[in-house]
Amino acid sequence: MPDVFILGAGFSKAIHSAMPTMDDLSKDVIHRLETIAGYRDSAIYIPDTLTKLGNNVEFWMTYLSQPQPWLRQEHHQRNLALARDIRNLIREVITRRKACSMQKPAPTWLTTLIRQWHLNRASVITLNYDTLVESASLKLVADTDKPILPDHMYPPYFARVASRSGGGLFGEGYMETFSYLKLHGSTNWFYSGRDDFYGETIFYSYALPWEAKNSLNDKAVPRQARDKECLIIPPVTDKLTYFNNETVRRLWQEASEALWSATRVFIIGYSLPPSDLGMKFFLQHSQPSKETQARWYIVDRDADVLARYQKLLPSQNVIGEYAGIKTAVSDFVQRYPEDL
């Protein structure tokens, strides 16, 4: 069966040091909030309230998105508005950092890995919002002499945003390649922004190709999506509002089905933080059958991550030879797929 990959923030960080970890993202968001007059001049200093929850944007979104029983309704509405602003700031921070990352050529190991994904028709599950993989894929020429486009790697139930103005109605032609399942949304995905968006079509735009001259000015919102908002599913412990959308649900179901049939799973740069209960439950439910005896390869520069997966998964099937190595990702790619 095709290999399955699970990518976290450490994967993007390995591509370029400018890409944020959760700690980096939290600091950037707080800094941006401090420059917004409405918050800076508020009688209740909201950014200070957030820092009391710790330097973790995940905890902030959890707190702000839920109706805390000790708050009046008007306070909860303010929290929801702040959560919405933070979601937009997350997109801005990631888009800006991604643009800086693309000023230099993509690392060789990344293009090598994407080419292997394509050849092996791998299933790639990512928790990242950025479009680094999409940009790198546009610079590759597959075996059909065509670049690998989002039309090929995204599930077919998403719609290209250019179709709203009559462009790209029939895509760019179907090509078999790896499937790219972005469980937490993406900076190039768009929806209405409503709390309840059941039944809505989710649109996507093309990312800029790697080393594009105008990447630093990229706002990631094309003209056809100016009435939409970026679909970023915040890393909160309760994502039920987002999961009411059948497209988002199907995305997670496809990821689960890929894991069910896997014989090799490679987890790159995802630390399995204790606060992400959704992913913990997802991995527990989606473990391949005992007959499959899938091997789980942990690829992470942090050695402590290995123990978390050994506790969650059958420890005898968890392989940690690429855990705790500074150059874990590039070292792994040199041996993938045959020498493992």
Side-chain angles (χ1 to χ4, degrees):
M1 299 300 295
D3 290 336
V4 176
F5 287 76
I6 300 176
L7 312 179
F11 178 82
S12 295
K13 193 75 171 178
I15 294 174
H16 196 285
S17 59
M19 297 308 295
T21 61
M22 182 65 71
D23 185 66
D24 298 331
L25 187 60
S26 304
K27 290 178 180 177
D28 274 10
V29 168
I30 278 290
H31 176 72
R32 291 298 307 277
L33 279 175
E34 290 173 344
T35 66
I36 299 175
Y39 294 128
R40 185 180 65 241
D41 302 332
S42 174
I44 301 175
Y45 189 47
I46 297 177
D48 185 54
T49 302
L50 296 183
T51 56
K52 292 178 181 178
L53 299 174
N55 192 37
N56 189 317
V57 72
E58 178 176 331
F59 293 156
W60 307 342
M61 296 297 291
T62 298
Y63 174 80
L64 295 170
S65 300
Q66 298 175 350
Q68 308 300 343
W70 56 87
L71 294 179
R72 295 171 61 91
Q73 182 63 20
E74 60 267 28
H75 293 156
H76 174 57
Q77 293 300 321
R78 290 171 189 163
N79 282 349
L80 289 177
L82 177 56
R84 189 169 186 167
D85 285 338
I86 288 176
R87 186 178 66 206
N88 291 330
L89 288 175
I90 289 173
R91 177 187 60 79
E92 290 180 17
V93 168
I94 291 175
T95 300
R96 174 171 50 82
R97 284 178 172 259
K98 183 216 171 186
C100 294
S101 303
M102 295 201 309
Q103 298 309 297
K104 294 183 178 180
T108 302
W109 66 259
L110 176 61
T111 54
T112 299
L113 183 59
I114 293 175
R115 188 170 286 107
Q116 288 295 335
W117 287 346
H118 169 73
L119 294 174
N120 299 333
R121 307 299 190 258
S123 294
V124 183
I125 301 166
T126 182
L127 307 175
N128 299 331
Y129 305 132
D130 65 70
T131 55
L132 287 169
V133 168
E134 289 92 328
S135 291
S137 297
L138 286 170
K139 300 290 286 186
L140 285 178
V141 176
D143 52 343
T144 58
D145 295 327
K146 294 181 180 179
I148 302 172
L149 303 174
D151 303 336
H152 310 140
M153 67 177 76
Y154 289 166
Y157 39 83
F158 285 76
R160 187 178 172 189
V161 73
S163 65
R164 301 185 80 201
S165 59
L169 285 173
F170 301 102
E172 300 295 334
Y174 182 72
M175 178 174 67
E176 285 281 356
T177 188
F178 66 94
S179 61
Y180 198 41
L181 307 173
K182 308 188 79 169
L183 300 187
H184 286 175
S186 181
T187 58
N188 68 323
W189 291 5
F190 304 98
Y191 79 122
S192 68
R194 294 198 299 260
D195 291 338
D196 184 1
F197 59 106
Y198 175 82
E200 278 192 24
T201 298
I202 295 175
F203 295 94
Y204 65 87
S205 64
Y206 283 6
L208 290 176
W210 206 281
E211 295 183 88
K213 292 182 179 180
N214 59 337
S215 62
L216 287 174
N217 299 319
D218 180 29
K219 301 301 182 182
V221 181
R223 180 172 174 270
Q224 298 95 333
R226 297 289 168 81
D227 62 333
K228 301 290 184 181
E229 288 193 14
C230 190
L231 177 58
I232 287 180
I233 301 174
V236 298
T237 55
D238 180 4
K239 304 183 180 73
L240 291 179
T241 298
Y242 294 92
F243 291 163
N244 285 337
N245 179 272
E246 66 276 23
T247 297
V248 174
R249 293 178 67 88
R250 182 56 195 159
L251 197 67
W252 282 76
Q253 290 163 7
E254 284 199 23
S256 181
E257 290 166 4
L259 285 171
W260 267 100
S261 60
T263 55
R264 298 196 303 182
V265 181
F266 303 93
I267 303 177
I268 306 180
Y270 176 60
S271 63
L272 192 63
S275 57
D276 197 346
L277 295 178
M279 273 302 293
K280 180 179 179 180
F281 296 151
F282 168 75
L283 291 175
Q284 287 177 325
H285 168 79
S286 305
Q287 290 182 41
S289 64
K290 293 182 179 179
E291 292 77 13
T292 305
Q293 290 296 314
R295 290 166 291 167
W296 299 74
Y297 294 81
I298 311 304
V299 184
D300 203 293
R301 61 186 302 168
D302 185 357
D304 295 336
V305 172
L306 179 62
R308 297 176 195 166
Y309 284 101
Q310 289 175 328
K311 185 177 181 180
L312 179 70
L313 305 167
S315 58
Q316 69 274 15
N317 297 338
V318 176
I319 300 172
E321 62 179 299
Y322 291 103
I325 302 173
K326 186 177 181 180
T327 57
V329 181
S330 57
D331 289 356
F332 160 77
V333 173
Q334 286 181 3
R335 290 185 58 192
Y336 178 80
E338 285 83 9
D339 296 337
L340 296 174

